Amino acid sequence: MTRTYKFRAVSSLLLAMQNLSPDYQVHYPVPDDQGIDRFYSLADTDEAALKNKETSIYQTLLKNQPVLVPPKGFLLPETEYLLQFVREGNTADVQPKSVDSKTRVIFGIKACDLESFKLLDEVFLSEPEDPRYRQRRDQTITIAAPCASESVYCLCSKFGVDKHSPAGADVVMVPGEKNGGNSETNNAGPVYLQSITDKGEKLLEALYQSISEDENFSGEVEADPEPPHALKVAAGQEKRAPGSAKSEAEGESESEGEDKSEHEPISLEATPDRMEELFEAAIWDELAMRCLNCGICTYYCPTCHCFDIQDFYRKKEGNRYRKWDSCMFCSYSEMAAGLNPRMHKRDRVRNRFFHKLNYLPKTNFVFGCTGCGRCVKHCPVGISINTVLEKIGGERIEK
Amino acid sequence: MQTITSEMREIAKKLLKEGKVDAVLGYTRGEFNTQTIPHLARTEAEASALLFDRFAGKTLSKYLTEDFFLDFFLEGKTVALFIKGCDYQAFNQLLNEERIPRDRVYLIGIECPGMVHRQNLASVLGSEPEEKDLDFQEEKIVDRETGQEIDYQEVLSPFCRVCSYNFPEQPENIDALITIDPALKQPASEETGEDALKAAIKEVDKMSRAERLEFWQHYLNNCRRCFSCRNACPVCTCLKCLFDRETPMYMDRATDQLAQHQFYHLIRAFHVADRCVGCGECERVCPEQIPLHLLHQKIIQDIEALYGHFQPGIDETPSPLAQANENDPDPFEKEARS
């Protein structure tokens, strides 16, 4: 039985979560000193600082863009130790490193990033299951924030991601109308939460129980308030009302044929096959020519998940660790004898887009893109998933 | 940059039509009007898409050392290349190192007015530039909705502000030159940019060792080593980069090795110290907005203070760092900093 809760302020919600258990690692989104949105750990924020950031956090939750660094790092860390080894004479003592047992709450995750978790689950939880990923995944609770519309970089609707109703969340959260009067929270408002999964329900119930009797939190939470329409939509209980505010940008991107390019847009279903027709086409040379072969697209993509395993050691001790790899790096497919099947940039660029738009859909029935828009915004030479979709959409093959 | 754009297109079409070159490497519009990307035109039709504007930051000469062009040159083909001053300095360094066949390149210089730093523009606007309806006029930026006017000088890249070499000044070495309207030339760097940059660097210099470490850690700990700065850098041209080596692995990614981020940037900064052409690409491409101008320009400043002005790619080699003389300054003796 899912219940709805209303918290007067985001900061009280976050503090309540921290109060719940010292084992909870709560992450919330807020801009850094350069204006870049990031997930910060509540453990690193003291109470006074948190209250000061009230408006900032609230405003970030309202943004129609995800944070800079995709939250895949919570499930597949940038680097993680697997083993520790110490050499003693002719033997080695090898100790596996365990995954920490903390519950991680990702507060304010967006639909596109949540969707990426589905793909990561597909990869890491199918046979053979990755036990470290499994543990982290089970210990992660997601509280999703919907987007009202798409930013100029976003293309989530192209990939079937419903930004108003983030699929796969444990809890959905919607900011409410701004509080008036109080100078501290002048530009911030309450937040409404509704659980979707059992995991989410347990969290919210425990949260409510722990603070409803606590003097410090008196007046901060209300159970079963009248939920705003946006919350019901987010929870999948209602369709979006036809009259509800739609930005122009959203209207454009959701309607067919409004592509900015001269090419006709291609349907998602037709994309994998069209890619195959174009395996030998010149478009890959054209795109690859300007590609820098850096790791921006892969590291900032919420669905990219390639990793490499390496050893770090000095003298008699060391670690074996797993780290993010990038198929754009020249050494990605380099083999022991120095052979490299993807020596040419063109092959690496082509491979990456095939992985996203052909290999994954054909073998795992998911697309390797959730339309988050990070590659659109950050590729230094303007090669994004849009570029490829537009190019393949318009290509005519002479048979 | 209307006149530069039309001249570019005219020159490119003519060269292609007359068969003087097989391709022209310049710039074109990306997905947004704040995104200008490299463009290779092989036909007159493709040449019509060439353009130059305040977002044409990408230095192009390094592309000529990569796969695509290596094959291109082997096939006996020629390419025309549009380059700004900084890029020209990089081009010369590559020539000196025999990485580019000069006779296969038709060089067209562009007098550059300075590039807009996207993050600066975002700060001034208070939002993402791509979400606004901006008119990039010749002398200023106008927000069509609010009427807000922004002078390019306000939002120039910190590197461009102190640029002293904005076009190839060696007419004997280039094949053509496109100049800009004198009204668009940016004011002399000593007046505006130099002081501001010097002041910014001084702020960091004034910090105690502990503060300075904290300052750099604060920014560098966001580094993910995507290597975009290195790959975008026109003078980072080692065939096998130190940081790509795996045997031995000079730099690894073991979890608690956060210092690796710092090592990477410091080592790279020193490796390119006397090659840096101040193009600002490193900072432009960084998704984490690490203030690299405070690092690379600082090193250029130090070289100037110790050895006098050295213009990479223009002044005679070997550079001051690539030679040792009896009278070289000895900073360890003089160092009075705490």
Side-chain angles (χ1 to χ4, degrees), chain B residues 265-277:
Chain B
H265 284 285
L266 289 174
I267 293 173
R268 195 183 88 77
F270 276 95
H271 278 196
V272 299
D274 57 352
R275 298 166 66 83
C276 179
V277 297

Side-chain angles (χ1 to χ4, degrees), chain A residues 258-309:
Chain A
E258 285 276 13
D259 230 350
K260 287 170 255 176
S261 76
E262 317 89 47
H263 301 297
E264 288 161 29
I266 187 174
S267 76
L268 208 57
E269 291 72 41
T271 301
D273 287 331
R274 178 62 66 89
M275 290 286 286
E276 267 175 48
E277 287 170 16
L278 296 171
F279 192 77
E280 300 291 347
I283 52 174
W284 310 115
D285 291 282
E286 285 160 30
L287 289 179
M289 191 238 92
R290 66 182 193 255
C291 174
L292 295 181
N293 267 187
C294 64
I296 288 180
C297 53
T298 50
Y299 285 178
Y300 293 88
C301 173
T303 63
C304 275
H305 51 268
C306 283
F307 60 85
D308 195 11
I309 295 181

Side-chain angles (χ1 to χ4, degrees), chain B residues 12 54 84 96 167 172 241-242 259 274 282 284 290 312 321 324:
Chain B
R54 299 276 191 166
K84 306 168 287 184
N96 288 343
F167 74 96
E172 67 279 11
C241 175
L242 159 76
D274 57 352
C282 50
R284 178 185 78 86
I290 297 173
L321 296 185

Side-chain angles (χ1 to χ4, degrees), chain A residues 66 112 151 153-156 369-378 385:
Chain A
C112 48
S151 78
Y153 318 109
C154 303
L155 57 154
C156 53
C369 177
T370 60
C372 76
R374 289 177 177 97
C375 58
V376 176
K377 193 175 179 192
H378 296 289
I385 200 90

Side-chain angles (χ1 to χ4, degrees), chain A residues 5 16 21 147 330 349 356 358:
Chain A
Y5 300 90
S21 164
C147 291
C330 190
V349 173
K356 295 202 162 298
N358 177 281

